[in-house]
Amino acid sequence: MTFSFGNRKQRDILLQAVFLAVILTMLLIAVMTTRRNLEIQGLSVGWSFLNYATGSSIVFSLIDYDLDSSFARALLVGFINTLFLGTISVSLAVLLGTVIGTARLSSHKLVKSIAGVYVQIFRNIPLILQAFFWYAIFVNFPSPRQAIAVQGGFFISNRGIFFPMFNIEAWYLLAAIALFIIGSVISVTVARRTGRGSSLVGILISLALACIIGYAGRLADTPLFDMPQPKGLRFLGGGTMTPELGSAIVAIALFGASYVAEIVRAGFLSIPAGLIEAAHALGLGNWHIFWRIRLPLMIRRILPTMTNQIIWLMKATTIGIAIGFPDYFGVVANSINHSGQTISLIFLLIIGFWAINMTISFTMNAINRALALPGHKK
Amino acid sequence: MTTSALAIEVDGLCKYYGAHQVLHGVNLTVKPGEKIVVCGPSGSGKSTLIRCLNKLEEHQQGRIRVLGTELNDEIDNINEIRREVGMVFQHFNLFPHLTVLENCVLAPMLVRKIDRKTAEEQAMTYLERVKIPQKAKNYPGELSGGQQQRVAIARALCMKPEIMLFDEPTSALDPEMISEVLDVMIQLAQGGMTMVCVTHEMGFARKVADRVIFMDQGKIVEDAPPADFFDNPQHERSKLFLSQILGH
Amino acid sequence: MTTSALAIEVDGLCKYYGAHQVLHGVNLTVKPGEKIVVCGPSGSGKSTLIRCLNKLEEHQQGRIRVLGTELNDEIDNINEIRREVGMVFQHFNLFPHLTVLENCVLAPMLVRKIDRKTAEEQAMTYLERVKIPQKAKNYPGELSGGQQQRVAIARALCMKPEIMLFDEPTSALDPEMISEVLDVMIQLAQGGMTMVCVTHEMGFARKVADRVIFMDQGKIVEDAPPADFFDNPQHERSKLFLSQILGH
Amino acid sequence: MRAETMTATTEIQAPALNDSLLDSVRRDYFSSVGRTILTLVCLALILSALWFLVNWGLVNAVWFGTPEDCHKAAGACWAVITDRYRLIFFGLYPYEEQWRSALACLAILATVILSCVPFFWSAKRLPVLWALGYGLFYFLMKGGVFGMPVVLETQWGGLALTVFVFSSTVVIGMPLAIVLALLRRSRLPVVSTVTALFIDGIRSLPLLSILFTAAIILPLTLPGFLVGDKLYRVIIGAAVFFAVYQAEIIRSGIQSLPAGQEEAATALGLNYWQTISRIVLPQAFRFALPPTINQVVIAFMETALIVILGFFEITASGNAAFSTGGWKPFHTEVYSFVALIYFVFTYSLSMYGSYLERSMKLGLR
Amino acid sequence: APGDTLKAVQARGALNCTSSDGNFEGFAEVDAQGNWHGLDIDYCRAVATAIFGSDDKLKLIPISWAQRFPSLQSGEIDLVIKASGWLFSRDTELGLQFSMPYFIGVTTFMAHKDLAAKSLADLAGGTVCVAGGTSTEKLVSDYIKEKKYEVKVVTFEKNTEATAAYFANRCDAYAEWGPIVAATRATSGDPESHDILSDALALEGEAIVMRQGDDNWVDIANWVIAAQRIAEENGVTSKNIDEMKANPPNTVVGKLLGVTPGIGTRLGLKDDWAYNVIKKVGNSEEMYNRNFGTESRYKLPRALNSLWNKGGVFYAPVLD
Ligand SMILES: Nc1ncnc2c1ncn2[C@@H]1O[C@H](COP(=O)(O)OP(=O)(O)OP(=O)(O)O)[C@@H](O)[C@H]1O
Ligand SMILES: Nc1ncnc2c1ncn2[C@@H]1O[C@H](COP(=O)(O)OP(=O)(O)OP(=O)(O)O)[C@@H](O)[C@H]1O
Ligand SMILES: [Mg+2]
Ligand SMILES: [Mg+2]
């Protein structure tokens, strides 16, 4: 068969081949240029630096780390920090955003306008400036010696917020919390889906299991709670939220909430008015309509947008670098400076964020699929 | 519920959207067990009228008494009325995140405080009456339009209303599905339900209506038994409308 | 354009969406000037069939000849056919960002390379023919459904096509507007245009169709003059369908 | 058509049934216990916020003076702004030439404002407008013509740099976004898959890491003649990032067109480019307008991130303003001032966006 | 390109040198008019003047601490003059080359007075703010570890943020290189409320940093520094330089100022380069005084940074 440009199928094949060729050539040129440039400067790209000691310290770490730890360890610290900061601040953003988004549709005009002002202010100022601002607030708390003591063993100072902690090994604690959350979610869903049984039973069972796990991980010979005690310039015991972590959380949560609020509001507004009317016509009260009709429908409608928003907020954790929180990006940037391994480290940075994203999209899509309504078209 | 000689009593009803008046002093009475068909050109205020009857819209002037209770601003009063008045919409408005059965038991459980088991049993009898019990566990999205509309009727019936309002229940349906919905409605009418029904299905009107009401520009122009209305319309506008509808 | 004894010639047409076959060997011929009405239940493949005729859908087996040219993969050939075949859709599909007049002159100017002035003059004559010249400067959003559909017909006519395809042109319209569109179509038919028309307007079919084609499950089940089809349908399925459509 | 009349008319007041102001206040704010509590909490919130702001920002504030004056006062130290506003606005730009920087910002501002006027919304007018505004900006800033001395990019700073990075991001990013969106929608599976991979890949990275890569990796990977100034590389990075997000917005704009639009154009015999340029894109842009404006606002705010790469945009010049001359303790005032500048820009843009959204709901369809 | 940095710079017609991304007191700071000042900036000007005869072809590129070496490696800048210490790891692993140091200092700490701390040992449980990615960070971390102090190091992307955090009481102490600490304290608005602690960490020499493999380029950097010291040793200043050139007091000055030819060509420069540098930027003493000493806001004594014959540690190689 001879080739003819007028023939659609043949032309399509040709176009695709050209497209691929152009892209591959560009990639090839980039790789070759890089090699040559590196060679000229006598630099080598490799991974051996990962085992060298960093010689620098990291102010916030959930796992053991010191000066002699390797770059690999430092990167792990940064990655865990990003996950930690991201999980907390994004969850808070979603919760707060849902409340504010709902408030924006309130029939109470004051509530509505406060929510509106909130959204406008926090949406329209760059996150990095907000982070600077909250950081300034956090470091202007009184010094540890004059720390504000709050009932129940909490202390607020410019070195951070100190709070009581379980005397339970970290991993056990984590497992217990995860188990409780997952267990409750599953039992609520199952109860809803089947319409049989009470979700309370399931929640109680998972709570009991969580307690057992927590008991197994208890540190021997210690009280259940580890209370922070003032001592000199610091507090001993308990948990600490450093100003860097605290202000990063507050900044991202408040900033994110303003975006989430808009999504939630749009989600509520996109529910066909007819459904709400039908609910009214059946005699359902506002409270029931909200929990049984509007909320579940809103959640389903916003899930895809919310996935993007969560990913976006997760990426926003990189502003940690501006206020000294050692997130993944910050640790990578610092490591580049200390090791000079720019290319390898940027590669690791990209892989790290891809991994985070994949996980989020995967989870959210799974949730989306689980909640998807059979036969319901978008 | 106070019993009364009249199921619905509308007197000088005026309704505005902003400055735009859509109902101009409508008067209407419906006796218990009566079946009324409302028709008229698009925008004439048919939907607005029947939506005022269960207070989905607020009226500005005139009075509406449903089952002997006057509709006013008290919330208790509204919900009491809505419990007794079922409504079926053009676009079904089933709750897409609930199964057919859940759609039917939701309101009885939450509003009438019936326990789930009784509510489900009762829902199944109504689903059987609309000939769709086998879809109880399906979601509305999995049903055809005609099936959805029949579920919507069953859902309204589960509240055991005294009056049923229908707003063009068949106009969003494909031609073949219209009859299955009309069949259910006819059966319901024959069971003695009080019905106010906006529709352009003239076959249905002829068959079951006690009176046909023709509206135009927010007023009731003609109010007559179907035989008179179809064969001998009094007003120019009704004539024009009938010729267009029944046309070709 | 080669002239041919037949305007459209479809031979053993099969069409798949993925693995799902929607047309099962359809055969159909349309002579120049002939008017065909296609009907059948939802999902039977009516739209798919007429969309294959101007290659909005690609077919997998069988051959289609339109105005003597076989539809194949050559791009020139496709564009030439589309120029000669006008199409009117259920949902009008007017371009909302262009005025009525711009809607009508766009394709003649871009495809037929007519200058704006001539194109506008010609468009006005067609707009007059569909009785809507006064709306030339309006945007589609400002028109009623019936008016929009008439503009859509005018827009297709502006390309001076030899064949017109209609896909349920009245089914998205309010009852009162149907007749104004049907009137235009009847007038067009009387003007001698070759027409293939998917519709459930049986009055129209009776009046203008040379043949009625009844499709079911991707096959042509019955192909008969309207008088035979309506009064004496041959097949069970056609009978059932007719009873549903004309029912109540 | 129904929705249209609804939104159009609900604004007008109905002849209300016996409803006085007092009644409506009572109904809206005090009709139940919950509502009353809510009202009181809200009032307390509003009043205390106002009280603090007025006291700190106005009553006890120092407007002119030295750091010493500020140390004594209890309120805000606006003196740092009045003393150093030129540094904040113009950064490292040569002192005598700063009028050029100011004019240049005005040029871009005018361009942005003009492009909000529907008259300019055409494929011909908008590019011309931007080419003019942008060219004016560039010549004013860079100089070398009409006897204005040359000022290198490394000396650009403050608001002008922010504005430059922002407008270049949009000017380069927007056409790129269109191209990406069309490629992603391509019928050809290879093309659409590769583009989708590219878009999703970039989208999953933080902007900071892209800027970082553009600043320090690109020079290694690009042939020498392509490297260019760091500023331009960073702009390209920001533009690509903007484009991948914007491409998805345009794509969903295209998808929200009824499928019939493209079919109707095809059925009329229009070819691919005619369909895209005359039918699809003009409509897709209308659908995409609100999210596009949102994205533009985000792009504007994200220019603040280049401070981390060592550029002297407005956040950094703000930093510089308070970190010498004894103004160190007064960063809050500087940050508030910078935040206010951002807010004025972004808020007016988002207001315009929601205005458009409302007017489109009325106008279209 | 390596081996030809000078040629590349001349062909480009501009020298790309680092400036700061914020303020680094005494070394690189912006004034209210947006002009750069400081010792590092002066060295950039000196190198530019040596090459082009004046400093108007100097391009000062704001670069953060974290990016200075990557930017150097990528060819974005020709040399880093950004208070960068000469460290073994940088010299070897990063593929960098250092000139002889032009400034030395001891890393010290400043702490809030109300803590009444004499040394870091008194700050048990406290925190120290430092700029991240710097040699200070490494030195301080090592020191704390070695002494087993219970002090936490808090790092920031920029020095500006580290000092801001210290002043906002985020940290009990601030660590930087001595002169900077002193300057920061002097300009804090309230110097009395901050104490310099007794701890003195390793002496660190700051040098001009270049890519490895271009010896001539390193020579230029070294001899620019050297020329200013030779000038100071011989009493040549920017003010008297024209008299000196008219009749050189000795052969060294004659060579230095290009009266006797030869100083330029062997570096690939013109013979009057050193003359230009001293005329426009000054000798090493003038540079110090302008940025840290008597003529500056900081008024720091020169001490170790003096020439050997005035009690310091610096000297010039022999110009023969
Ligand atoms: N929410 C609203 N806001 C403003 N105007 C409205 C609203 N709802 C309806 N209208 C207007 O009120 C008038 C009557 O509307 P209504 O829906 O009652 O007519 P209808 O007879 O039911 O028409 P259709 O046959 O199209 O359903 C119309 O002019 C319509 O435009
Ligand atoms: N794009 C598509 N992808 C997959 N299946 C399709 C697609 N379009 C149509 N179908 C299927 O093809 C079959 C025929 O569809 P078609 O639209 O031709 O029916 P129709 O007779 O026009 O029905 P209607 O009266 O509802 O318009 C249906 O089963 C439909 O689900
Ligand atoms: Mg209606
Ligand atoms: Mg069809």
Side-chain angles (χ1 to χ4, degrees), chain A residues 38-59:
Chain A
L38 289 177
E39 217 165 88
I40 290 173
Q41 294 179 15
L43 294 175
S44 61
V45 174
W47 303 104
S48 50
F49 75 97
L50 284 177
N51 298 321
Y52 299 166
T54 57
S56 59
S57 40
I58 295 183
V59 67

Side-chain angles (χ1 to χ4, degrees), chain A residues 75-238:
Chain A
L75 291 172
L76 183 63
V77 169
F79 192 71
I80 293 179
N81 284 349
T82 287
L83 289 182
F84 185 70
L85 169 63
T87 316
I88 296 182
S89 47
V90 171
S91 322
L92 287 177
V94 170
L95 281 181
L96 184 62
T98 311
V99 173
I100 293 173
T102 314
R104 287 208 71 185
L105 296 172
S106 165
S107 60
H108 193 289
K109 292 209 188 68
L110 281 180
V111 173
K112 190 171 164 167
S113 34
I114 288 183
V117 169
Y118 174 93
V119 168
Q120 290 306 346
I121 289 182
F122 284 86
R123 261 174 93 88
N124 287 317
I125 294 173
L127 175 58
I128 191 164
L129 270 177
Q130 297 191 30
F132 285 146
F133 174 81
W134 290 114
Y135 190 60
I137 299 274
F138 267 77
V139 298
N140 276 313
F141 286 137
S143 74
R145 287 189 187 143
Q146 285 95 44
I148 308 167
V150 184
Q151 272 299 312
F154 290 82
F155 294 93
I156 299 174
S157 81
N158 61 1
R159 295 306 134 73
I161 295 170
F162 300 86
F163 49 88
M165 208 36 198
F166 289 108
N167 258 325
I168 294 175
E169 244 180 90
W171 292 114
Y172 281 90
L173 189 60
L174 212 63
I177 293 173
L179 188 107
F180 175 64
I181 294 177
I182 295 174
S184 315
V185 168
I186 289 180
S187 44
V188 170
T189 343
V190 168
R192 272 283 161 83
R193 272 282 149 105
T194 57
R196 301 263 171 267
S198 160
S199 48
L200 200 62
V201 180
I203 293 176
L204 285 180
I205 292 177
S206 24
L207 184 63
L209 280 177
C211 288
I212 293 173
I213 293 187
Y215 186 78
R218 258 192 80 168
L219 301 175
D221 307 326
T222 51
L224 179 57
F225 283 106
D226 185 13
M227 305 298 262
Q229 302 292 334
K231 179 162 186 290
L233 293 175
R234 70 194 138 153
F235 288 80
L236 285 181

Side-chain angles (χ1 to χ4, degrees), chain B residues 42-43 45-48 51 90 167-168 198, chain D residues 2:
Chain B
S42 182
K46 309 179 293 294
S47 302
T48 308
R51 289 158 56 84
Q90 176 176 12
D167 190 1
E168 308 207 27
V198 177
Chain D
R2 178 64 57 78

Side-chain angles (χ1 to χ4, degrees), chain B residues 11-248:
Chain B
D11 185 15
L13 178 64
C14 292
K15 158 86 196 159
Y16 299 80
Y17 284 114
H20 173 54
Q21 187 170 4
V22 287
L23 291 181
H24 299 257
V26 171
N27 299 315
L28 174 72
T29 54
V30 182
K31 288 198 275 297
E34 218 177 1
K35 290 115 195 55
I36 310 282
V37 161
V38 182
C39 64
S42 182
S44 56
K46 309 179 293 294
S47 302
T48 308
L49 171 62
I50 74 164
R51 289 158 56 84
C52 282
L53 297 184
N54 66 347
K55 213 141 203 280
L56 283 181
E57 305 284 355
E58 275 180 38
H59 57 284
Q60 279 80 26
Q61 286 161 34
R63 24 174 44 213
I64 304 177
R65 289 170 75 87
V66 175
L67 302 168
T69 315
E70 173 161 356
L71 297 190
N72 57 24
D73 276 342
E74 302 302 320
I75 294 170
D76 292 349
N77 154 306
I78 297 170
N79 281 339
E80 220 163 288
I81 294 297
R82 283 185 183 153
R83 241 174 267 178
E84 307 302 331
V85 178
M87 180 148 187
V88 176
F89 300 84
Q90 176 176 12
H91 292 287
F92 332 139
N93 293 343
L94 294 181
F95 305 128
H97 61 302
L98 303 178
T99 61
V100 164
L101 190 61
E102 285 164 352
N103 261 284
C104 293
V105 300
L106 184 72
M109 279 171 61
L110 295 181
V111 181
R112 294 233 187 255
K113 315 272 182 230
I114 298 174
D115 69 300
R116 181 180 281 270
K117 201 148 161 292
T118 329
E120 285 188 354
E121 277 163 15
Q122 170 193 323
M124 286 311 292
T125 62
Y126 284 111
L127 286 175
E128 263 156 42
R129 202 176 294 173
V130 301
K131 308 198 188 63
I132 208 161
Q134 75 285 6
K135 298 278 185 189
K137 296 276 171 216
N138 288 77
Y139 283 86
E142 298 168 298
L143 271 55
S144 76
Q147 292 173 324
Q148 289 194 45
Q149 193 61 299
R150 283 183 282 150
V151 172
I153 295 175
R155 177 177 71 177
L157 292 177
C158 282
M159 286 293 285
K160 309 215 163 149
E162 313 231 337
I163 302 174
M164 286 284 284
L165 308 175
F166 293 83
D167 190 1
E168 308 207 27
T170 58
S171 65
L173 298 176
D174 283 336
E176 313 123 78
M177 296 173 180
I178 292 178
S179 58
E180 67 188 46
V181 172
L182 289 181
D183 287 347
V184 169
M185 287 170 63
I186 292 169
Q187 179 196 328
L188 191 63
Q190 286 160 351
M193 175 68 75
T194 316
M195 284 164 71
V196 179
C197 188
V198 177
T199 183
H200 291 135
E201 292 297 331
M202 293 307 154
F204 172 79
R206 251 185 222 278
K207 204 178 230 153
V208 305
D210 295 314
R211 278 153 56 209
V212 175
I213 286 174
F214 176 72
M215 290 186 69
D216 191 27
Q217 300 191 358
K219 297 200 185 79
I220 293 187
V221 176
E222 196 150 350
D223 178 349
D228 297 357
F229 179 73
F230 289 113
D231 304 332
N232 186 18
Q234 298 297 309
H235 291 262
E236 272 316 304
R237 278 177 285 181
S238 335
K239 277 180 206 159
L240 183 71
F241 177 77
L242 280 175
S243 78
Q244 275 174 333
I245 282 274
L246 304 173
H248 25 269

Side-chain angles (χ1 to χ4, degrees), chain D residues 99-117:
Chain D
W99 59 272
R100 282 162 52 187
S101 183
L103 271 191
C105 288
L106 285 183
I108 291 287
L109 190 65
T111 313
V112 170
I113 291 177
L114 285 183
S115 28
C116 291
V117 178

